[in-house]
Amino acid sequence: GVLQSAAKVSSERARREELEEALVIDEMTTAFNFRYLNKWLSAAAEDQMALLFMDIDDFSIFNNTYGHAEGDEVLRVLVETINKSVRTDDKVIRYGGDEFVVLLNGMDGEGAMRVAQRIMGNLGSVRRANWKEPITVSMGIASAPRDARDKHQLLLFADQAMYAAKGAGKNTIQMWNAEKDPA
């Protein structure tokens, strides 16, 4: 009886963990979702980490040209490419639409820049016969503790750096710079 009860509890615990994980995974891309990001934002801050915030350049034009099914494929390919470009412990999160966040624990801004460059390089080699243009992204980087200690502020700064990258001509990476864009 005791062994049966223990097995049942273990089975129920495993099922609950599967369900909890399903709640934080974006079904289409298999990246973590906004719910996961909110959970991360409410947890204690890490001592050192970097955050990438990226947006697919001209995604609405791509969707209008090739259709939403191909746009969905771009999202999947992007997540796959990011996952191949980062460490297994790093977290890829679909922020919403065509915006993604990558959490890089224990990494400083310079390390994050190397990761961002690797992502862009790997993305540049992705080709599909029916896509005339390559997929490009604009990325912003912020790091703790250099730029901010508060996670919400870190996310905001990486987002603002991403918009600076868009403003600099897209398909580029910008580090958060408080002197250029004080918040």
Side-chain angles (χ1 to χ4, degrees):
V2 172
L3 289 177
Q4 265 185 332
S5 293
K8 185 176 180 182
V9 167
S10 178
S11 175
E12 287 175 5
R13 183 177 297 137
R15 179 70 179 138
R16 187 178 70 240
E17 287 173 6
E18 286 176 18
L19 290 172
E20 286 175 4
E21 183 162 319
L23 289 173
V24 296
I25 299 294
D26 177 64
E27 282 184 35
M28 183 185 8
T29 65
T30 70
F32 288 100
N33 62 22
F34 194 77
R35 182 185 301 239
Y36 179 89
L37 182 64
N38 279 330
K39 190 175 174 182
W40 175 79
L41 285 167
S42 65
E46 290 84 7
D47 290 335
Q48 183 178 37
M49 73 165 311
L51 197 144
L52 305 177
F53 201 114
M54 70 183 76
D55 182 79
I56 301 174
D57 296 325
D58 301 317
F59 188 63
S60 61
I61 294 171
F62 185 95
N63 271 336
N64 290 339
T65 303
Y66 299 103
H68 290 280
E70 288 297 318
D72 291 348
E73 180 63 14
V74 167
L75 297 172
R76 286 187 288 273
V77 166
L78 176 62
V79 169
E80 180 182 304
T81 303
I82 296 168
N83 280 323
K84 288 179 182 176
S85 306
V86 300
R87 304 169 299 187
T88 55
D89 292 352
D90 297 330
K91 305 297 186 220
V92 180
I93 302 163
R94 185 174 182 194
Y95 186 81
D98 64 324
E99 293 181 321
F100 292 85
V101 172
V102 182
L103 306 177
L104 304 165
N105 280 330
M107 193 174 291
D108 63 9
E110 289 71 30
M113 178 60 84
R114 288 189 296 275
V115 170
Q117 290 167 337
R118 184 169 46 247
I119 291 168
M120 289 183 97
N122 290 339
L123 199 54
S125 66
V126 171
R127 296 283 185 257
R128 295 290 193 273
N130 51 334
W131 302 346
K132 291 181 180 137
E133 300 84 24
I135 303 166
T136 64
V137 296
S138 296
M139 275 194 251
I141 301 171
S143 63
R146 186 190 76 189
D147 300 322
R149 292 189 185 277
D150 177 78
K151 289 179 173 183
H152 291 88
Q153 198 170 31
L154 192 64
L155 181 65
L156 172 68
F157 290 168
D159 185 29
Q160 289 177 348
M162 183 271 298
Y163 278 106
K166 287 236 181 248
K170 301 179 184 174
N171 194 27
T172 189
I173 306 163
Q174 292 286 319
M175 298 273 285
W176 166 253
N177 184 335
E179 292 156 15
K180 281 186 181 176
D181 192 5

